[in-house]
Amino acid sequence: MPLNDYIKYLTQQITSYIDTPAKEKKEQKVKNKDESPVYLNRWLGVLPFAFKVAKKKTN
């Protein structure tokens, strides 16, 4: 990706963040905290998921 495109992307992201109201930012933050991550994938990556899919395919 050329540097000019990267800078354009960053400025778009920053301006969209600045333009969103504080209330929406707080709601999004609360929503992200409420979604609990799957700790098995978080700790070990994609391997447990791959094993689970392989096991389902063999059955």
Side-chain angles (χ1 to χ4, degrees), residues 33-47:
K33 283 186 178 180
D34 288 342
E35 295 175 358
S36 61
V38 178
Y39 286 105
L40 193 59
N41 287 346
R42 183 176 177 189
W43 292 341
L44 302 174
V46 181
L47 287 177

Side-chain angles (χ1 to χ4, degrees), residues 3 6-8 10-11 13 18 21-22 35 37 49-50:
L3 182 63
Y6 183 67
I7 292 172
K8 183 178 178 180
L10 281 178
T11 52
Q13 293 298 313
I18 291 171
E35 295 175 358
F49 176 73

Side-chain angles (χ1 to χ4, degrees), residues 13-52:
Q13 293 298 313
I14 290 170
T15 54
S16 67
Y17 179 77
I18 291 171
D19 290 341
T20 54
K23 188 174 183 180
E24 285 184 27
K25 290 177 192 175
K26 286 182 182 180
E27 290 173 359
Q28 185 67 26
K29 188 182 245 184
V30 169
K31 179 184 171 191
N32 288 343
K33 283 186 178 180
D34 288 342
E35 295 175 358
S36 61
V38 178
Y39 286 105
L40 193 59
N41 287 346
R42 183 176 177 189
W43 292 341
L44 302 174
V46 181
L47 287 177
F49 176 73
F51 289 135
K52 189 185 331 180

